[in-house]
Amino acid sequence: MAINNPIAAPHTHSGLSTTNIMYLVVLALSPAALYGVWIFGLPAALVIVSCCISAWLSEVICLQLQGKNWLSSIDGSSLLTALLLAMSLPASTPWWVASFGCIFAIVIGKHVYGGLGHNPFNPAMLGRVMLLICFPIELTNWQAISIPSLGSDGLIFSQQWLGIDGVSSATPLADLNQIVEWKGLLLGEHAGSLGETSALLIALGGLFLIWRGIIRPYIPCALLLGLTIPASIAHWLHPQDYASGLAHLLSGGAMLAAFFIATDLVTSPTSPRGQILFGAGCGLLIWLIRSFGSYPEGVAFAVLIMNAGTPVIDHYLRPKIFGSQSLFKRSKGA
């Protein structure tokens, strides 16, 4: 009886583990998160910390219930989910609401489907939509920015920055007709979620991920074009009714979605053509929801809808197996 030793197929390895990838994404997102704390103050820090703690504890409990080693909880995946969810929330979100969203994201969005690598939907966006439905008032109370000023004795922190007092303000997406200063959008000098502030820092973090080979540029480029092109056409035809493409591009969570959310390796297609279709679909849906929907922001809904279509996209746009023939050529040869 012949014994054949199994031989793995030819493949390449990037040299990066899942843990390395998760922490590199967290590192790329950190400047925008720290900037959010700088302009919104301690309430923003409380949202981030409560999300991280609740996500880690939920991860440990789920692993223990499945009989797995709890040390897997430090692979960075729960930390990344927590940070993405925190970046999608207003700084004024109560800590217990943010914690509840993270618990839902980890337990329902991730471990119910089998854990890391098996979830069909982005866990952070699943938690964001759940919170928006269950706590609409808390999720639409946008805190105005309160940047510390430099005085003769050092930095001066306002009561709003310290969380003692609070002032609400409209986000750019709530009234796009008032957008006149694109630099304010680029630098994040406006109200909004932590991830809706500095488009510049988020874009730089995304370029860092592309440079390190963590993500490919297909989804970010397709998403931004899918959002900007229809917005620019509508603005050109009816400028009094529709915001410009640049306003859509630099406001809301468009940049965060393009570089950090839609590029999730688990819930996005694997082939370049599939990623282009996925990104373009996300961008178009974001514009449609923003322009005609009941919510001013449509990132979470758009990403979840396209997540549902990922298996179909992968089925029809998967790369051809090396050496195989198409159905047309085989039938012609027969």
Side-chain angles (χ1 to χ4, degrees):
M1 179 179 177
I3 300 177
N4 298 321
N5 295 323
I7 300 175
H11 65 277
T12 59
H13 194 283
S14 64
L16 292 173
S17 65
T18 301
T19 302
N20 289 337
I21 292 174
M22 295 296 171
Y23 283 109
L24 279 174
V25 178
V26 170
L27 177 65
L29 199 54
S30 296
L34 292 175
Y35 183 72
V37 174
W38 170 254
I39 63 174
F40 289 116
L42 295 183
L46 182 60
V47 170
I48 295 175
V49 171
S50 59
C51 280
C52 292
I53 293 176
S54 58
W56 180 73
L57 290 176
S58 302
E59 182 84 6
V60 171
I61 293 173
C62 288
L63 290 173
Q64 290 292 305
L65 290 176
Q66 298 173 63
K68 298 180 180 178
N69 191 342
W70 71 272
L71 290 176
S72 299
S73 64
I74 59 175
D75 63 358
S77 60
S78 61
L79 176 62
L80 179 58
T81 299
L83 196 54
L84 286 174
L85 179 58
M87 295 289 284
S88 70
L89 299 176
S92 57
T93 305
W95 68 268
W96 57 271
V97 172
S99 299
F100 183 60
C102 260
I103 294 171
F104 184 89
I106 296 296
V107 177
I108 305 299
K110 181 179 176 182
H111 283 283
V112 163
Y113 293 102
L116 181 63
H118 300 281
N119 51 291
F121 299 100
N122 188 298
M125 293 300 98
L126 212 56
R128 172 73 166 82
V129 170
M130 185 278 296
L131 290 180
L132 187 60
I133 295 173
C134 297
F135 305 97
I137 297 177
E138 288 81 359
L139 266 289
T140 52
N141 181 22
W142 309 103
Q143 178 179 326
I145 63 173
S146 177
I147 302 176
S149 57
L150 183 61
S152 57
D153 297 330
L155 289 174
I156 301 175
F157 300 96
S158 66
Q159 289 189 341
Q160 182 182 337
W161 195 95
L162 296 173
I164 300 174
D165 194 7
V167 177
S168 299
S169 177
T171 67
L173 282 177
D175 193 358
L176 283 170
N177 292 327
Q178 294 186 2
I179 293 177
V180 292
E181 185 59 54
W182 64 270
K183 289 184 180 178
L185 293 175
L186 192 64
L187 299 177
E189 297 173 350
H190 55 80
S193 299
L194 299 180
E196 296 180 6
T197 51
S198 177
L200 178 62
L201 290 178
I202 293 175
L204 290 175
L207 293 176
F208 169 75
L209 294 181
I210 294 175
W211 172 63
R212 289 301 306 266
I214 305 299
I215 63 174
R216 290 186 286 185
Y218 303 117
I219 291 180
C221 293
L223 190 151
L224 296 178
L225 289 175
L227 171 63
T228 307
I229 292 175
S232 299
I233 294 174
H235 180 72
W236 178 64
L237 294 174
H238 300 282
Q240 68 279 8
D241 297 325
Y242 299 100
S244 66
L246 184 62
H248 277 283
L249 192 67
L250 299 180
S251 59
M255 286 291 180
L256 187 67
F259 291 105
F260 290 95
I261 297 175
T263 53
D264 179 22
L265 300 178
V266 177
T267 58
S268 61
T270 55
S271 66
R273 290 188 300 165
Q275 292 183 358
I276 292 172
L277 178 61
F278 179 86
C282 285
L284 179 60
L285 286 173
I286 290 172
W287 178 73
L288 289 173
I289 295 172
R290 284 180 177 181
S291 301
F292 306 104
S294 301
Y295 294 99
E297 179 56 284
V299 165
F301 294 104
V303 171
L304 292 179
I305 291 172
M306 292 307 296
N307 284 161
T310 294
V312 178
I313 296 174
D314 271 336
H315 177 76
Y316 286 103
L317 296 181
R318 59 186 172 185
K320 187 178 69 172
I321 299 174
F322 180 74
S324 66
Q325 290 183 334
S326 65
L327 291 175
F328 174 76
K329 289 184 176 179
R330 276 187 284 176
S331 60
K332 188 176 179 180

